[in-house]
Every structure is written in C-alpha cells, then in structure tokens.
Amino acid sequence: MGENAASKNHHLHNHHQVFDIAIDVLPQNGSKCYDDDGRLKRTGTLCTASAHIITAVIGSGVLSLAWAVAQLGWVAGPAVMVLFSLVTYYTSSLLTECYRTGDPDTGKRNYTYMDAVRSILGGVKVKFCGFIQYLGLFGIAIGYTIASSISMMAIKRSNCFHQSGGQNPCHISSTPYMIMFGITEILLSQIPDFDQLWWLSIVAAVMSFTYSSIGLGLGIGKVAVNGTFKGSLTGISIGTVTETEKIWRSFQALGAIAFAYSYSVILIEIQDTVKSPPSESKTMKKAASISTVVTTTFYMLCGCMGYAAFGDLAPGNLLTGFGFYNPYWLIDIANVAIVIHLVGAYQVFTQPLFAFVEKWASQKWPESYFITKEFNIAVPGLGTYKLNLFRLVWRTIFVILTTVISMLLPFFNDVVGILGALGFWPLTVYFPVEMYIVQKKIQKWSTRWICLQMLSMACLVISLVAVAGSIAGVVLDLKAYKPFKTSY
C-alpha cells in the first residue's frame, strides 16, 4: 500500500491549510482566484490525480505479492488480483460521489475521508471509522519496523556472504536492526510537522519505484537464467507445506493482496486537488480507472515474475529472495531504497495518530503543565525548538511499543495479511457503499440496494477469512520462533 499515500495526502491537504485563516475576507463567489469554499482555485487535472494515486498505491505491498501468488497458483493468483482491482475500482467510483455532500456540483465539499463519513453518515459510524483507521496506522508502524529490519539484514547478509566467498552462512539477529530503526523514529517523531515536509512524498515515490522496478527486473532476469517458468496451476504443493497450512496460507494471501490495494482512504484528499468543471467526480472516476489499470499491470508483473522465478520457494519479501545473486550491489540499492522509504513513511503514517492523542489529552487536561507547557530551546543554526514533555514521553513510548511488538512478532507476511484484511472491508467497501446509498437516496430492499449489500457481505467474508489465515500464520510461525534469539 501506498505509504507515500499518507505523505501525499498531507501535502495535498496542507496546500490548502495556509489559506484557512483568510477565508472570511476573501472574495468567494465568481472569483477567478478562489473556489466556492473560499480556498485557492484547485488546479489538479486527470493526469495529476492519476499520478497521485499511482505513486500513493505502489509501495511495500508489492514485496509480498510473489509470495501471495505462490500460495494461490497460476490460476487463482492472477484471478484474485483482478478481482480485488475490480472491487477497488468500483468502490472508488462510489466514493468519488461522496466528495460533495448533497448536490454533486454545488454541495459542501468534504476534504478528507473522515469528513465524508462524518457529514454523510455521522453518529457511531464516525467513531468506528476512526478506530479502524488509527488501528491500521498502529499496525503499519509495526509492519514498517519489520520490513526495514529485514532489508537492513539483507544488506548486511549479502555483503558478509560475498566477503567470505560464500563460506560463511552469516546468521544475523533482527533485534539490533529493529532497535536502530526505533531510535531513528524516536528522534524523527520529535520534529514538528515532519510529515508535511514538501520533499518527503517525492523521495517516497522515487524510492518505491526504485525498489519495485529492481524487484521486477531481477525476477525477469532470474526467469531468463532458469530458462523456465516455475510454479504450478494450484500453487504451493502439498509436501512443501501440509494441507492445513496450504488452506491458511491461501487465506493469508488474500490479505496480502488486499494490503497492496488499500488506497481508498486517500482518494477524497486527492479529489480535493482537482479543478472543476467538469465535476470532480467525473475526473476522479477516470483517474481511478487509469490508475487501477496501471497498478494492476505492475502488480501482475511483480507477483507473477516473482513466482515464475522462485516457484514454491517465493519469499515473503521478494527482495530477500535474491540475497546471494550477482549483481549483489543492485539488491543492496533496492534494500537501501526500502529503508529510506519506510523511515519517512513511518512518520507520515504515525503523525495523524500522534496528533489525535495529543489533541485529546490537551482537551481533557487543559490546565496540565506536563501536557500543554512548551519550552523554548535554542538550537544553534536551526533557531528555536519547542519542547513539549507530553509529546516527548508519549511519542517515545509509542515507538518503543511498536518496536518491541515487532521483535516479538517479526513476521512481515503475517502482519501485512492482518493489516490488509482489517482495512479492506470497512474502509474500501463498507463505508463507500453506505455513503453512496445515503448520497443517492437508494431505497432499502430495491434491487440496487440488495446488490450493493451483497457486494459488502461478500467482501466482509473475504476479510474475515484473510484475518483468520493471517492469525493462523502468526500462531504457526511462533511455534518455531524464539524471540530475541533466533538468527536470520
């Protein structure tokens, strides 16, 4: 999923926030410079919206696709990817109708996904949506800690292997790398508005395309060297795994694919950059179809080429599978790109959660010296730094907690499967369907209403099955794993 997604959404959103203060004094109607809500004229086009979605979507989710295809095989693997892309495209097109509440051309604009849920559905559903989103952000922090430590270990291991001429098996523990990542995140989490630095989303986009493309290129190269496409029609063979394991792994693969397609949450932010006329929803529907075709093609290539290269042995993280191949420096570049990307992406995804807790705490205890007092500290060459004790303690505890959980459960695939499954039904299907029904005033028990509810129920079943598969994966992995001891 697009880790650059959130960074993109902050920049897109931040682009307007500067002008909020002046809204009341600006000419609002019929102006050439301002839109109907008093904000600066939006200039986004079909091309920029498509580019935003594509760069937001293609991220670390691509790394586990070869593993997912290996569990499902040459028939079901690509079929499931196409199915997820169609469902995501359809629900995205429903979501584009929810950017404006009421009238599709002149209704009140919703600037974020949560704004849309609040203004169209309201009530307890807003709390449910917030809970799922924040839970997802917490899970992503754990997933990124694991993924970056895997990449750091892969670099160390591949260099050690080459220096020893293949004599040393180079067993390494992931714990010190997770601690290094955690310390870096503790420092970065104290930088105010780190997630809104303008260059962050550009770096994220460049890095994710770098490692995705290297992974794809190496997969194609390995297939060429092998001279054959590995794999089978039905996926990983019984014998390599037991029958029960195969069933659970197939379910988990659904979660991994869902994670790669989980970008609905940022669609409304992107739509908020698009100019009108034509109406924003028309432009966004086209952008959603273009980006779905591009990302699905790219995912198919990465997933299928990875499976063709490794067959049953396709690794959970594609780039660790090439560990001992030449040119090893190319794999190192890809893994460095992953680490750089995830260091920034971790902050982009956790900052909204930090801000939510800090805002809640300051409203709950407005008189508290510990929570509200800011100390000015002069930093040579950088001006004044505002230190807040609550921010220092809470953010540090949060990073330590995610790092410790990552050490106890360092299973990238299982975490990705759980994240993808948890977020897929509520955020990609349930809320867009429910909002669309309210927006379009679709009658209960009409044919359209029944069809939409059937789609929602089917996706709920897929999500539950994928969560079950991923949890079973964690249980199976824990049987063979001893925290803080096992070497990689």
Side-chain angles (χ1 to χ4, degrees):
M1 170 197 178
E3 315 58 278
N4 2 12
S7 67
K8 191 144 313 286
N9 108 32
H10 283 290
H11 305 308
L12 301 173
H13 203 45
N14 198 43
H15 156 68
H16 304 308
Q17 284 173 349
V18 188
F19 305 99
D20 281 0
I21 309 151
I23 280 177
D24 295 334
V25 293
L26 296 173
Q28 297 195 6
N29 296 320
S31 164
K32 287 181 182 174
C33 300
Y34 302 97
D35 274 327
D36 55 8
D37 59 345
R39 295 188 170 184
L40 268 192
K41 267 249 185 272
R42 289 148 175 89
T43 55
T45 61
L46 176 62
C47 289
T48 61
S50 304
H52 281 323
I53 299 173
I54 292 164
T55 53
V57 178
I58 294 175
S60 64
V62 86
L63 299 172
S64 56
L65 288 177
W67 181 88
V69 176
Q71 310 317 307
L72 299 166
W74 280 118
V75 178
V80 168
M81 271 200 223
V82 170
L83 190 67
F84 271 99
S85 69
L86 292 174
V87 169
T88 306
Y89 166 65
Y90 180 66
T91 57
S92 300
S93 65
L94 299 183
L95 195 57
T96 61
E97 300 284 354
C98 305
Y99 171 58
R100 287 179 182 269
T101 305
D103 189 282
D105 295 317
T106 57
K108 177 186 162 290
R109 295 172 188 261
N110 296 306
Y111 303 118
T112 66
Y113 190 93
M114 278 291 281
D115 284 350
V117 174
R118 190 176 290 110
S119 69
I120 297 170
L121 298 175
V124 74
K125 288 178 180 175
V126 181
K127 290 194 168 120
F128 174 56
C129 179
F131 173 73
I132 292 290
Q133 278 191 289
Y134 291 129
L135 184 67
L137 298 179
F138 179 70
I140 282 169
I142 295 166
Y144 287 179
T145 305
I146 298 168
S148 58
S149 72
I150 289 171
S151 287
M152 287 190 266
M153 284 156 61
I155 296 166
K156 175 76 177 159
R157 219 178 153 200
S158 114
N159 293 345
C160 154
F161 192 77
H162 283 276
Q163 281 162 4
S164 69
Q167 303 303 311
N168 185 348
C170 304
H171 290 300
I172 306 169
S173 167
S174 62
T175 304
Y177 296 97
M178 288 184 184
I179 292 170
M180 275 165 55
F181 184 82
I183 291 168
T184 307
E185 295 304 343
I186 287 172
L187 295 172
L188 293 180
S189 70
Q190 298 304 320
I191 299 173
D193 296 333
F194 180 81
D195 56 316
Q196 290 173 7
L197 294 173
W198 63 269
W199 47 265
L200 201 62
S201 62
I202 298 168
V203 170
V206 170
M207 293 300 156
S208 57
F209 275 103
T210 300
Y211 64 71
S212 304
S213 306
I214 291 174
L216 174 59
L218 289 169
I220 294 169
K222 191 163 186 328
V223 170
V225 170
N226 293 343
T228 176
F229 273 62
K230 290 187 177 180
S232 66
L233 294 179
T234 53
I236 196 162
S237 49
I238 308 291
T240 311
V241 290
T242 65
E243 273 186 50
T244 317
E245 278 178 337
K246 179 163 171 64
I247 292 166
W248 288 126
R249 280 169 162 237
S250 300
F251 290 166
Q252 190 181 332
L254 298 175
I257 294 170
F259 180 72
Y261 278 106
S262 53
Y263 62 92
S264 297
V265 177
I266 51 125
L267 274 182
I268 286 181
E269 273 93 335
I270 293 172
Q271 192 163 341
D272 191 41
T273 66
V274 173
K275 66 182 177 186
S276 61
S279 77
E280 299 91 352
S281 62
K282 281 182 184 164
T283 307
M284 267 320 268
K285 273 182 188 155
K286 285 182 190 164
S289 63
I290 291 167
S291 53
T292 303
V293 170
V294 172
T295 51
T296 304
T297 306
F298 191 69
Y299 282 172
M300 282 282 198
L301 283 168
C302 288
C304 294
M305 278 301 163
Y307 182 38
F310 294 105
D312 282 0
L313 301 175
N317 175 338
L318 181 61
L319 285 165
T320 58
F322 300 102
F324 306 136
Y325 298 99
N326 282 314
Y328 74 97
W329 53 266
L330 187 61
I331 298 147
D332 288 355
I333 289 171
N335 281 307
V336 166
I338 291 176
V339 175
I340 293 170
H341 183 193
L342 297 187
V343 163
Y346 182 102
Q347 288 304 321
V348 165
F349 273 102
T350 52
Q351 290 284 346
L353 183 52
F354 292 157
F356 171 73
V357 171
E358 284 153 24
K359 186 180 175 188
W360 172 81
S362 63
Q363 286 171 347
K364 181 99 172 153
W365 298 286
E367 304 300 315
S368 168
Y369 182 85
F370 174 68
I371 289 169
T372 55
K373 175 73 175 165
E374 290 199 332
F375 301 92
N376 290 328
I377 297 171
V379 181
L382 294 172
T384 308
Y385 175 73
K386 286 184 163 53
L387 175 71
N388 174 281
L389 290 176
F390 177 65
R391 184 170 63 219
L392 178 69
V393 173
W394 139 245
R395 293 186 179 193
T396 303
I397 290 170
F398 176 89
V399 177
I400 291 170
L401 182 64
T402 57
T403 308
V404 170
I405 294 172
S406 304
M407 289 175 190
L408 295 171
L409 304 168
F411 316 122
F412 178 64
N413 274 77
D414 303 331
V415 172
V416 161
I418 291 171
L419 286 176
L422 273 181
F424 175 68
W425 176 70
L427 301 176
T428 304
V429 183
Y430 174 74
F431 284 115
V433 164
E434 291 298 308
M435 287 194 285
Y436 183 76
I437 287 170
V438 173
Q439 266 297 68
K440 296 295 177 186
K441 301 181 173 62
I442 295 169
Q443 287 292 314
K444 215 172 193 181
W445 304 112
S446 64
T447 311
R448 188 132 204 234
W449 186 88
I450 290 169
C451 289
L452 286 167
Q453 295 298 346
M454 281 169 66
L455 170 71
S456 186
M457 284 298 105
C459 291
L460 172 60
V461 171
I462 289 169
S463 271
L464 291 173
V465 157
V467 166
S470 301
I471 291 170
V474 170
V475 172
L476 288 168
D477 285 339
L478 279 175
K479 283 181 182 171
Y481 174 72
K482 292 181 177 60
F484 311 114
K485 289 180 186 170
T486 306
S487 296
Y488 168 70

Short mmCIF file of all heavy atoms in Angstrom, two decimals, residues 62-70 72-82 215-216 218-220 222-223 226 228-232 257 295-312 314 318 322:
data_model
loop_
_atom_site.label_atom_id
_atom_site.label_comp_id
_atom_site.label_asym_id
_atom_site.label_seq_id
_atom_site.Cartn_x
_atom_site.Cartn_y
_atom_site.Cartn_z
N VAL A 62 3.89 -4.31 -2.60
CA VAL A 62 4.33 -5.03 -3.80
C VAL A 62 5.30 -6.16 -3.45
O VAL A 62 5.39 -7.17 -4.16
CB VAL A 62 4.97 -4.01 -4.80
CG1 VAL A 62 6.42 -3.79 -4.51
CG2 VAL A 62 4.80 -4.43 -6.22
N LEU A 63 6.00 -6.04 -2.31
CA LEU A 63 7.05 -7.00 -1.96
C LEU A 63 6.50 -8.39 -1.63
O LEU A 63 7.18 -9.39 -1.81
CB LEU A 63 7.86 -6.49 -0.77
CG LEU A 63 8.60 -5.16 -0.99
CD1 LEU A 63 9.20 -4.65 0.30
CD2 LEU A 63 9.67 -5.31 -2.07
N SER A 64 5.26 -8.44 -1.13
CA SER A 64 4.73 -9.76 -0.72
C SER A 64 3.83 -10.40 -1.79
O SER A 64 3.27 -11.46 -1.56
CB SER A 64 3.96 -9.62 0.60
OG SER A 64 2.94 -8.66 0.47
N LEU A 65 3.70 -9.75 -2.95
CA LEU A 65 2.78 -10.28 -3.97
C LEU A 65 3.25 -11.61 -4.57
O LEU A 65 2.43 -12.48 -4.86
CB LEU A 65 2.57 -9.25 -5.09
CG LEU A 65 1.71 -8.04 -4.69
CD1 LEU A 65 1.63 -7.05 -5.84
CD2 LEU A 65 0.31 -8.47 -4.27
N ALA A 66 4.57 -11.78 -4.76
CA ALA A 66 5.07 -13.04 -5.33
C ALA A 66 4.74 -14.19 -4.38
O ALA A 66 4.32 -15.27 -4.81
CB ALA A 66 6.58 -12.96 -5.55
N TRP A 67 4.87 -13.94 -3.07
CA TRP A 67 4.53 -14.96 -2.06
C TRP A 67 3.04 -15.29 -2.14
O TRP A 67 2.64 -16.45 -2.08
CB TRP A 67 4.90 -14.44 -0.66
CG TRP A 67 4.59 -15.43 0.43
CD1 TRP A 67 5.40 -16.41 0.89
CD2 TRP A 67 3.37 -15.54 1.16
NE1 TRP A 67 4.77 -17.11 1.88
CE2 TRP A 67 3.51 -16.61 2.06
CE3 TRP A 67 2.16 -14.83 1.14
CZ2 TRP A 67 2.50 -17.00 2.94
CZ3 TRP A 67 1.15 -15.22 2.01
CH2 TRP A 67 1.32 -16.28 2.90
N ALA A 68 2.21 -14.23 -2.28
CA ALA A 68 0.76 -14.43 -2.34
C ALA A 68 0.38 -15.27 -3.56
O ALA A 68 -0.43 -16.20 -3.47
CB ALA A 68 0.04 -13.08 -2.38
N VAL A 69 0.97 -14.96 -4.72
CA VAL A 69 0.67 -15.72 -5.94
C VAL A 69 1.14 -17.18 -5.77
O VAL A 69 0.46 -18.12 -6.22
CB VAL A 69 1.32 -15.07 -7.20
CG1 VAL A 69 1.10 -15.92 -8.45
CG2 VAL A 69 0.75 -13.68 -7.43
N ALA A 70 2.27 -17.37 -5.08
CA ALA A 70 2.79 -18.73 -4.88
C ALA A 70 1.82 -19.59 -4.07
O ALA A 70 1.73 -20.80 -4.26
CB ALA A 70 4.15 -18.67 -4.19
N LEU A 72 -1.44 -19.28 -4.11
CA LEU A 72 -2.70 -19.48 -4.86
C LEU A 72 -2.50 -20.18 -6.20
O LEU A 72 -3.42 -20.82 -6.71
CB LEU A 72 -3.38 -18.12 -5.08
CG LEU A 72 -3.77 -17.37 -3.79
CD1 LEU A 72 -4.12 -15.93 -4.09
CD2 LEU A 72 -4.93 -18.06 -3.09
N GLY A 73 -1.31 -20.02 -6.80
CA GLY A 73 -1.04 -20.69 -8.08
C GLY A 73 -1.31 -19.81 -9.28
O GLY A 73 -1.79 -18.68 -9.16
N TRP A 74 -1.00 -20.37 -10.46
CA TRP A 74 -1.10 -19.59 -11.71
C TRP A 74 -2.52 -19.25 -12.11
O TRP A 74 -2.75 -18.33 -12.88
CB TRP A 74 -0.42 -20.34 -12.85
CG TRP A 74 1.07 -20.20 -12.86
CD1 TRP A 74 1.99 -21.20 -12.73
CD2 TRP A 74 1.83 -19.00 -13.00
NE1 TRP A 74 3.27 -20.69 -12.77
CE2 TRP A 74 3.20 -19.34 -12.94
CE3 TRP A 74 1.49 -17.65 -13.15
CZ2 TRP A 74 4.21 -18.39 -13.04
CZ3 TRP A 74 2.50 -16.71 -13.25
CH2 TRP A 74 3.83 -17.08 -13.20
N VAL A 75 -3.51 -19.99 -11.59
CA VAL A 75 -4.90 -19.69 -11.97
C VAL A 75 -5.51 -18.70 -10.97
O VAL A 75 -5.91 -17.59 -11.33
CB VAL A 75 -5.76 -20.99 -12.01
CG1 VAL A 75 -7.21 -20.64 -12.35
CG2 VAL A 75 -5.19 -21.96 -13.03
N ALA A 76 -5.54 -19.12 -9.70
CA ALA A 76 -6.22 -18.29 -8.70
C ALA A 76 -5.47 -17.00 -8.39
O ALA A 76 -6.09 -15.97 -8.13
CB ALA A 76 -6.42 -19.10 -7.42
N GLY A 77 -4.12 -17.02 -8.43
CA GLY A 77 -3.33 -15.84 -8.07
C GLY A 77 -3.69 -14.61 -8.90
O GLY A 77 -4.19 -13.61 -8.36
N PRO A 78 -3.47 -14.69 -10.23
CA PRO A 78 -3.85 -13.54 -11.06
C PRO A 78 -5.35 -13.24 -11.00
O PRO A 78 -5.74 -12.06 -11.02
CB PRO A 78 -3.44 -13.98 -12.48
CG PRO A 78 -2.37 -15.01 -12.26
CD PRO A 78 -2.75 -15.71 -11.00
N ALA A 79 -6.19 -14.29 -10.89
CA ALA A 79 -7.65 -14.07 -10.85
C ALA A 79 -8.03 -13.25 -9.62
O ALA A 79 -8.84 -12.31 -9.70
CB ALA A 79 -8.37 -15.42 -10.83
N VAL A 80 -7.43 -13.58 -8.46
CA VAL A 80 -7.74 -12.84 -7.23
C VAL A 80 -7.27 -11.39 -7.34
O VAL A 80 -7.96 -10.46 -6.92
CB VAL A 80 -7.09 -13.54 -6.00
CG1 VAL A 80 -7.13 -12.65 -4.77
CG2 VAL A 80 -7.80 -14.86 -5.71
N MET A 81 -6.10 -11.18 -7.96
CA MET A 81 -5.60 -9.80 -8.16
C MET A 81 -6.57 -8.99 -9.00
O MET A 81 -6.88 -7.83 -8.68
CB MET A 81 -4.23 -9.82 -8.82
CG MET A 81 -3.11 -9.89 -7.84
SD MET A 81 -1.59 -9.33 -8.63
CE MET A 81 -0.49 -10.55 -8.02
N VAL A 82 -7.06 -9.59 -10.07
CA VAL A 82 -8.02 -8.89 -10.95
C VAL A 82 -9.30 -8.60 -10.18
O VAL A 82 -9.87 -7.50 -10.27
CB VAL A 82 -8.31 -9.73 -12.22
CG1 VAL A 82 -9.47 -9.13 -13.00
CG2 VAL A 82 -7.06 -9.80 -13.10
N GLY A 215 13.08 -5.12 -8.15
CA GLY A 215 12.48 -6.43 -7.85
C GLY A 215 11.93 -7.08 -9.10
O GLY A 215 12.16 -8.28 -9.37
N LEU A 216 11.20 -6.29 -9.90
CA LEU A 216 10.63 -6.81 -11.15
C LEU A 216 11.73 -7.22 -12.12
O LEU A 216 11.70 -8.32 -12.69
CB LEU A 216 9.73 -5.73 -11.78
CG LEU A 216 9.15 -6.04 -13.16
CD1 LEU A 216 8.30 -7.31 -13.14
CD2 LEU A 216 8.32 -4.87 -13.67
N LEU A 218 14.89 -8.03 -11.51
CA LEU A 218 15.62 -9.22 -11.06
C LEU A 218 14.78 -10.49 -11.25
O LEU A 218 15.32 -11.55 -11.59
CB LEU A 218 16.00 -9.08 -9.57
CG LEU A 218 17.09 -8.05 -9.26
CD1 LEU A 218 17.19 -7.80 -7.77
CD2 LEU A 218 18.45 -8.53 -9.79
N GLY A 219 13.47 -10.36 -11.06
CA GLY A 219 12.58 -11.51 -11.29
C GLY A 219 12.63 -11.97 -12.74
O GLY A 219 12.78 -13.16 -13.04
N ILE A 220 12.55 -10.99 -13.66
CA ILE A 220 12.61 -11.31 -15.09
C ILE A 220 13.97 -11.94 -15.42
O ILE A 220 14.06 -12.93 -16.14
CB ILE A 220 12.36 -10.03 -15.94
CG1 ILE A 220 10.92 -9.55 -15.75
CG2 ILE A 220 12.64 -10.29 -17.42
CD1 ILE A 220 10.63 -8.18 -16.31
N LYS A 222 15.98 -13.60 -13.43
CA LYS A 222 16.11 -14.95 -12.87
C LYS A 222 15.33 -15.96 -13.72
O LYS A 222 15.78 -17.09 -13.92
CB LYS A 222 15.62 -14.96 -11.42
CG LYS A 222 15.97 -16.26 -10.69
CD LYS A 222 15.86 -16.08 -9.20
CE LYS A 222 16.32 -17.26 -8.39
NZ LYS A 222 16.18 -18.57 -8.90
N VAL A 223 14.17 -15.54 -14.22
CA VAL A 223 13.39 -16.43 -15.11
C VAL A 223 14.21 -16.73 -16.36
O VAL A 223 14.27 -17.88 -16.83
CB VAL A 223 12.03 -15.79 -15.49
CG1 VAL A 223 11.34 -16.58 -16.58
CG2 VAL A 223 11.12 -15.70 -14.27
N ASN A 226 16.95 -19.17 -15.43
CA ASN A 226 16.37 -20.52 -15.21
C ASN A 226 15.97 -21.17 -16.53
O ASN A 226 15.96 -22.39 -16.66
CB ASN A 226 15.13 -20.45 -14.31
CG ASN A 226 15.46 -20.03 -12.90
OD1 ASN A 226 16.62 -20.09 -12.50
ND2 ASN A 226 14.46 -19.60 -12.14
N THR A 228 13.03 -21.25 -17.58
CA THR A 228 11.69 -21.84 -17.45
C THR A 228 10.87 -21.05 -16.43
O THR A 228 11.42 -20.39 -15.56
CB THR A 228 11.78 -23.32 -17.01
OG1 THR A 228 10.46 -23.82 -16.82
CG2 THR A 228 12.53 -23.46 -15.69
N PHE A 229 9.55 -21.13 -16.55
CA PHE A 229 8.65 -20.52 -15.57
C PHE A 229 8.39 -21.56 -14.49
O PHE A 229 7.84 -22.62 -14.77
CB PHE A 229 7.33 -20.14 -16.23
CG PHE A 229 7.33 -18.78 -16.85
CD1 PHE A 229 8.21 -18.48 -17.90
CD2 PHE A 229 6.47 -17.79 -16.42
CE1 PHE A 229 8.23 -17.22 -18.48
CE2 PHE A 229 6.49 -16.53 -17.00
CZ PHE A 229 7.36 -16.24 -18.03
N LYS A 230 8.77 -21.25 -13.25
CA LYS A 230 8.49 -22.18 -12.16
C LYS A 230 7.04 -22.02 -11.71
O LYS A 230 6.35 -21.12 -12.14
CB LYS A 230 9.43 -21.91 -10.99
CG LYS A 230 10.88 -22.30 -11.26
CD LYS A 230 11.70 -22.17 -10.01
CE LYS A 230 13.14 -22.64 -10.27
NZ LYS A 230 13.96 -22.51 -9.06
N GLY A 231 6.62 -22.89 -10.79
CA GLY A 231 5.27 -22.76 -10.24
C GLY A 231 4.31 -23.75 -10.86
O GLY A 231 4.63 -24.45 -11.81
N SER A 232 3.10 -23.81 -10.28
CA SER A 232 2.09 -24.75 -10.78
C SER A 232 0.73 -24.05 -10.82
O SER A 232 0.57 -22.96 -10.28
CB SER A 232 2.00 -25.97 -9.85
OG SER A 232 1.52 -25.55 -8.58
N ILE A 257 -2.77 -9.41 -0.72
CA ILE A 257 -3.20 -8.73 -1.96
C ILE A 257 -4.08 -7.53 -1.61
O ILE A 257 -3.96 -6.45 -2.19
CB ILE A 257 -3.92 -9.71 -2.91
CG1 ILE A 257 -2.92 -10.77 -3.41
CG2 ILE A 257 -4.53 -8.98 -4.11
CD1 ILE A 257 -3.53 -11.94 -4.16
N THR A 295 -1.62 0.13 -11.99
CA THR A 295 -1.11 -0.57 -10.80
C THR A 295 -1.35 -2.07 -10.90
O THR A 295 -0.49 -2.86 -10.51
CB THR A 295 -1.76 -0.04 -9.50
OG1 THR A 295 -3.18 -0.04 -9.66
CG2 THR A 295 -1.31 1.35 -9.18
N THR A 296 -2.50 -2.47 -11.45
CA THR A 296 -2.77 -3.92 -11.56
C THR A 296 -1.78 -4.57 -12.52
O THR A 296 -1.28 -5.67 -12.26
CB THR A 296 -4.23 -4.17 -12.01
OG1 THR A 296 -5.10 -3.53 -11.09
CG2 THR A 296 -4.55 -5.66 -12.04
N THR A 297 -1.48 -3.89 -13.62
CA THR A 297 -0.49 -4.42 -14.57
C THR A 297 0.86 -4.58 -13.88
O THR A 297 1.52 -5.62 -13.99
CB THR A 297 -0.34 -3.45 -15.78
OG1 THR A 297 -1.63 -3.22 -16.33
CG2 THR A 297 0.58 -4.03 -16.85
N PHE A 298 1.27 -3.55 -13.13
CA PHE A 298 2.55 -3.58 -12.43
C PHE A 298 2.56 -4.69 -11.37
O PHE A 298 3.52 -5.45 -11.24
CB PHE A 298 2.80 -2.22 -11.78
CG PHE A 298 4.20 -2.05 -11.27
CD1 PHE A 298 5.28 -1.95 -12.13
CD2 PHE A 298 4.45 -1.99 -9.90
CE1 PHE A 298 6.58 -1.80 -11.67
CE2 PHE A 298 5.75 -1.83 -9.42
CZ PHE A 298 6.82 -1.74 -10.30
N TYR A 299 1.47 -4.80 -10.62
CA TYR A 299 1.36 -5.85 -9.58
C TYR A 299 1.41 -7.24 -10.20
O TYR A 299 2.04 -8.14 -9.67
CB TYR A 299 0.04 -5.69 -8.81
CG TYR A 299 0.05 -4.60 -7.78
CD1 TYR A 299 -1.12 -4.23 -7.11
CD2 TYR A 299 1.22 -3.90 -7.45
CE1 TYR A 299 -1.12 -3.25 -6.14
CE2 TYR A 299 1.22 -2.91 -6.49
CZ TYR A 299 0.04 -2.58 -5.84
OH TYR A 299 0.04 -1.60 -4.89
N MET A 300 0.70 -7.40 -11.31
CA MET A 300 0.69 -8.70 -12.01
C MET A 300 2.12 -9.09 -12.41
O MET A 300 2.54 -10.22 -12.20
CB MET A 300 -0.16 -8.61 -13.28
CG MET A 300 -1.63 -8.67 -13.01
SD MET A 300 -2.11 -10.37 -12.70
CE MET A 300 -3.83 -10.22 -12.97
N LEU A 301 2.83 -8.12 -12.98
CA LEU A 301 4.21 -8.39 -13.42
C LEU A 301 5.08 -8.77 -12.22
O LEU A 301 5.80 -9.77 -12.25
CB LEU A 301 4.79 -7.15 -14.12
CG LEU A 301 4.30 -6.92 -15.55
CD1 LEU A 301 4.71 -5.53 -16.02
CD2 LEU A 301 4.88 -7.97 -16.49
N CYS A 302 5.01 -7.97 -11.14
CA CYS A 302 5.86 -8.23 -9.96
C CYS A 302 5.50 -9.57 -9.32
O CYS A 302 6.37 -10.39 -9.02
CB CYS A 302 5.71 -7.12 -8.92
SG CYS A 302 6.49 -5.60 -9.43
N GLY A 303 4.20 -9.80 -9.10
CA GLY A 303 3.76 -11.03 -8.45
C GLY A 303 4.04 -12.26 -9.28
O GLY A 303 4.60 -13.25 -8.80
N CYS A 304 3.70 -12.18 -10.56
CA CYS A 304 3.85 -13.35 -11.44
C CYS A 304 5.31 -13.64 -11.78
O CYS A 304 5.73 -14.79 -11.82
CB CYS A 304 3.03 -13.17 -12.71
SG CYS A 304 1.25 -13.13 -12.37
N MET A 305 6.10 -12.58 -12.00
CA MET A 305 7.52 -12.80 -12.30
C MET A 305 8.27 -13.35 -11.08
O MET A 305 9.15 -14.18 -11.20
CB MET A 305 8.18 -11.50 -12.79
CG MET A 305 7.93 -11.26 -14.26
SD MET A 305 8.58 -12.61 -15.26
CE MET A 305 7.74 -12.35 -16.79
N GLY A 306 7.88 -12.86 -9.90
CA GLY A 306 8.49 -13.37 -8.67
C GLY A 306 8.18 -14.85 -8.49
O GLY A 306 9.04 -15.65 -8.12
N TYR A 307 6.93 -15.23 -8.77
CA TYR A 307 6.51 -16.64 -8.65
C TYR A 307 7.20 -17.49 -9.71
O TYR A 307 7.70 -18.59 -9.44
CB TYR A 307 4.99 -16.75 -8.76
CG TYR A 307 4.44 -18.15 -8.59
CD1 TYR A 307 5.01 -19.04 -7.66
CD2 TYR A 307 3.36 -18.60 -9.35
CE1 TYR A 307 4.51 -20.33 -7.50
CE2 TYR A 307 2.85 -19.88 -9.19
CZ TYR A 307 3.43 -20.75 -8.26
OH TYR A 307 2.94 -22.02 -8.11
N ALA A 308 7.28 -16.94 -10.93
CA ALA A 308 7.94 -17.67 -12.02
C ALA A 308 9.41 -17.89 -11.71
O ALA A 308 10.00 -18.92 -12.08
CB ALA A 308 7.79 -16.88 -13.32
N ALA A 309 10.02 -16.94 -10.99
CA ALA A 309 11.45 -17.04 -10.66
C ALA A 309 11.71 -18.04 -9.53
O ALA A 309 12.67 -18.81 -9.57
CB ALA A 309 11.99 -15.67 -10.28
N PHE A 310 10.84 -18.07 -8.53
CA PHE A 310 11.12 -18.86 -7.32
C PHE A 310 10.21 -20.08 -7.13
O PHE A 310 10.53 -20.95 -6.31
CB PHE A 310 11.02 -17.97 -6.07
CG PHE A 310 12.07 -16.91 -6.00
CD1 PHE A 310 11.77 -15.58 -6.27
CD2 PHE A 310 13.38 -17.24 -5.67
CE1 PHE A 310 12.75 -14.60 -6.20
CE2 PHE A 310 14.37 -16.26 -5.61
CZ PHE A 310 14.06 -14.95 -5.87
N GLY A 311 9.05 -20.08 -7.80
CA GLY A 311 8.13 -21.21 -7.62
C GLY A 311 7.64 -21.30 -6.18
O GLY A 311 7.38 -20.27 -5.54
N ASP A 312 7.55 -22.51 -5.65
CA ASP A 312 7.06 -22.74 -4.28
C ASP A 312 7.86 -21.98 -3.23
O ASP A 312 7.37 -21.70 -2.15
CB ASP A 312 7.11 -24.24 -3.93
CG ASP A 312 5.96 -25.00 -4.57
OD1 ASP A 312 5.14 -24.36 -5.26
OD2 ASP A 312 5.89 -26.23 -4.38
N ALA A 314 8.97 -18.96 -3.27
CA ALA A 314 8.87 -17.49 -3.35
C ALA A 314 8.89 -16.91 -1.94
O ALA A 314 8.12 -17.33 -1.08
CB ALA A 314 7.57 -17.09 -4.06
N LEU A 318 9.99 -10.15 -1.50
CA LEU A 318 10.62 -10.51 -2.78
C LEU A 318 12.12 -10.25 -2.81
O LEU A 318 12.90 -11.08 -3.27
CB LEU A 318 9.93 -9.74 -3.92
CG LEU A 318 10.45 -10.03 -5.34
CD1 LEU A 318 10.25 -11.49 -5.72
CD2 LEU A 318 9.79 -9.13 -6.35
N PHE A 322 16.65 -12.75 -3.50
CA PHE A 322 17.80 -12.65 -4.41
C PHE A 322 19.10 -12.51 -3.62
O PHE A 322 20.12 -12.13 -4.17
CB PHE A 322 17.65 -11.42 -5.31
CG PHE A 322 16.43 -11.45 -6.17
CD1 PHE A 322 15.31 -10.70 -5.83
CD2 PHE A 322 16.38 -12.24 -7.31
CE1 PHE A 322 14.18 -10.71 -6.63
CE2 PHE A 322 15.23 -12.26 -8.11
CZ PHE A 322 14.14 -11.50 -7.76
#
